[in-house]
């Protein structure tokens, strides 16, 4: 693994501010292997001109705080016109290698030519001006766009797809369909009775059935009221918000690298699977049967917890035996960052999950599902927008670029470089790093403490690198699909430098 040299780095002083200018020189082996840029006019590296946050950002932050009184999460104000490829530029002119990627939601980086071309089309302008309520007045081209943009990448075995606005509402409506299917099945396929219609209006049985959804400790499925009942990652998400009495099972706490701890990890996964069985039985006895289970391929917000294919195969089997739907939340892992379009492809399930939700890198929200989970009555799953037609115009260009530029291969290659590099750094700095893990470029490593994780993110930003955290003390990486080997080496070199200074 060849990192960048730091021999050519220098510091200079501008208007009393120390400016770090990085002009790294590659090792010869690395230089010869450098891939051509996927965004032709992309910057060569980070550039920090001011203190971070800079004066313009601080001024805008004060103005924003006067407006919202809710600015505690803002890190910088961006200049999106100047941003290119993997590099985000702020209003002070500082340039960052973005390894967190708007919380993993920008698939092709900033101002990708294919997307600029797509949004410059008259079709997009027409769609924006005449924003349609897709549930009642969709544009004539919408079915074709859904076929091209969504059905062309559908998970194997899932024939139906519904668009939504965001990840949380995708999960909400997907689970509504599992409730509808569960009750329809319980009635032998019959429609609701008049008694059920009447009692539903008063939130009472039998029209408002006492069903439950199983989730996992450490999970994150969104911030809407229903999804918060299934989210168990951070207290700040849930405190002061009423919650539904729904079961949560333990998610496996595995040792990494997985191939070195197969026996220990199998014991842990079997323990969690038994807990799933116990929770299903417990809630059935309480009169709150589990209608569905929702699970992330990797528990992202909770700390990038992984499980093996064995766990998910067995989980699907347990749910099938219990008559509960198997819902896979791919809001964060879907769209190629795992090295495959869908992370669950790597499990080799005997059959498709019942429902797969998505958002983030796929631009629009939504979910795929088996035909038997389709609503039986109009307006059971409905809202004004039911998605955003302009997003499918963009998604067509994204899907085409993924295929044309072999971006899944790019992700796989960069992921191997990052993960092996983190393992080297882990061996070099065992007092700070442990448990490097990932799939594709969906990667994390644990730090020695929450304070150390926060310090590394802060130091990285001051040096021109945007990083993220998750769980209690994990550093997480969520780059764009165009994050190449040269970007991976810039990142690893900077982490090496930061760790050497700690």
């Amino acid at each position: 693994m060849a990192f960048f040299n730091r021999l050519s780095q220098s510091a200079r002083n501008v208007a009393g501010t120390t400016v770090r200018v990085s002009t790294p020189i590659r090792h010869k082996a690395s230089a010869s292997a450098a891939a051509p840029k996927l965004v032709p006019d992309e910057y060569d590296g980070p550039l920090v001109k001011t203190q971070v946050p800079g004066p313009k950002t601080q001024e805008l932050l004060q103005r924003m705080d006067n407006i919202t009184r809710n600015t505690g999460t803002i890190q910088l104000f961006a200049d999106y016109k100047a941003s290119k490829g993997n590099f985000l530029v702020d209003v002070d002119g500082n340039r960052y290698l973005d390894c967190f990627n708007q919380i993993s939601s920008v698939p092709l980086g900033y101002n990708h030519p294919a997307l600029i071309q797509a949004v410059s089309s008259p079709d997009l302008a027409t769609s924006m001006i005449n924003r349609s309520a897709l549930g009642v007045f969709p544009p004539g081209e919408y079915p074709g766009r859904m076929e091209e943009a969504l059905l062309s990448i559908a998970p194997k075995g899932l024939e139906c797809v519904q668009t939504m606005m965001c990840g949380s509402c995708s999960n909400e409506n997907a689970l509504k369909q599992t409730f509808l299917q569960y009750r329809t099945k319980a009635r032998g396929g019959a429609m609701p009775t008049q008694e059920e219609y009447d009692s539903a209006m008063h939130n009472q049985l039998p029209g408002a059935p006492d069903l439950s959804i199983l989730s996992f400790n450490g999970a994150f499925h969104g911030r809407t009221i229903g999804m918060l009942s299934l989210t168990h990652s951070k207290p700040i998400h849930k405190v002061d918000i009423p919650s539904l009495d729904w079961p949560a099972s333990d998610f496996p706490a595995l040792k990494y690298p997985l191939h070195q701890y197969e026996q220990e990890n199998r014991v842990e996964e079997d323990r969690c699977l038994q807990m799933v069985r116990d929770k299903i039985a417990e809630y059935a006895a309480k009169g709150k049967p589990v209608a569905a289970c929702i699970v992330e391929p990797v528990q992202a917000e909770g700390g990038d917890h992984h499980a093996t294919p064995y766990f998910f195969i067995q989980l699907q089997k347990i749910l099938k035996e219990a008559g509960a739907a198997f819902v896979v939340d791919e809001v964060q892992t879907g769209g190629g960052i795992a090295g495959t379009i869908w992370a669950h492809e790597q499990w080799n399930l005997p059959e498709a999950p019942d429902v797969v939700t998505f958002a983030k890198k796929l631009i629009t929200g939504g979910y795929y599902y088996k035909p038997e989970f389709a609503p039986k009555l109009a307006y059971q799953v409905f809202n004004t927008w039911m998605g955003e037609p302009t997003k499918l115009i963009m998604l067509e260009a994204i899907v085409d670029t993924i295929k044309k530029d072999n971006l899944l291969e790019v992700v796989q290659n960069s992921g191997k470089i990052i993960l092996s590099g983190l393992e080297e750094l882990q061996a070099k700095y065992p007092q700070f790093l442990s448990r490097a893990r990932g799939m594709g470029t969906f990667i994390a490593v644990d730090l020695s403490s929450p304070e150390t994780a926060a310090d590394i993110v802060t130091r990285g930003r001051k040096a021109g690198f945007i990083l993220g955290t998750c769980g209690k003390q994990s550093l997480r990486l969520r780059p764009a699909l165009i994050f190449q080997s040269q970007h991976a080496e810039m990142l690893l070199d900077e982490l090496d430098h930061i760790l050497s200074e700690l």
Side-chain angles (χ1 to χ4, degrees), residues 304-478:
D304 268 37
H305 305 140
H306 290 248
T308 70
Y310 166 82
F311 175 79
F312 295 106
I313 291 170
Q314 295 304 312
L315 176 62
Q316 183 182 48
K317 181 180 178 181
I318 292 168
L319 296 172
K320 198 171 187 65
E321 291 171 353
F326 183 31
V327 181
V328 180
D329 178 350
E330 292 237 33
V331 167
Q332 292 212 30
T333 53
I337 191 172
T340 47
I341 291 293
W342 306 105
H344 79 265
E345 291 179 50
Q346 301 177 37
W347 301 341
N348 294 315
L349 295 169
E351 65 175 85
D354 296 307
V355 184
V356 174
T357 65
F358 60 86
K360 289 195 179 284
K361 276 190 164 54
L362 291 176
I363 300 297
T364 182
Y367 49 96
Y368 296 92
Y369 52 96
K370 294 176 178 176
E372 57 264 35
F373 285 83
K376 303 302 185 288
L377 298 170
Y379 294 101
Q380 283 186 307
V381 174
F382 181 82
N383 58 48
T384 301
W385 303 122
M386 298 292 281
E388 172 57 71
T390 60
K391 301 298 185 183
L392 290 196
I393 296 174
M394 297 171 64
L395 185 55
E396 281 187 89
I398 291 165
V399 170
D400 181 65
T401 302
I402 289 173
K403 296 173 181 177
K404 178 174 64 70
D405 290 347
N406 298 314
L407 293 188
L408 295 181
E409 185 177 329
V410 172
V411 169
Q412 292 165 14
N413 180 55
S414 296
K416 290 175 183 176
I417 293 171
I418 295 170
L419 193 55
S420 63
L422 286 176
E423 288 170 347
E424 288 185 26
L425 292 174
Q426 189 172 276
K428 186 176 181 180
Y429 304 103
Q431 70 274 36
F432 296 124
L433 298 182
S434 63
R435 303 175 74 242
R437 66 247 184 223
M439 54 195 312
T441 53
F442 200 98
I443 290 173
V445 64
D446 284 359
L447 278 299
S448 53
S449 69
E451 294 75 21
T452 303
D455 188 19
I456 287 178
V457 170
T458 300
R459 288 170 181 257
R461 190 158 58 247
K462 290 180 178 178
F465 292 79
I466 296 179
L467 309 169
T469 60
C470 59
K472 293 182 179 179
Q473 56 201 59
S474 296
L475 181 73
R476 61 169 160 169
L477 305 174
R478 301 290 190 267

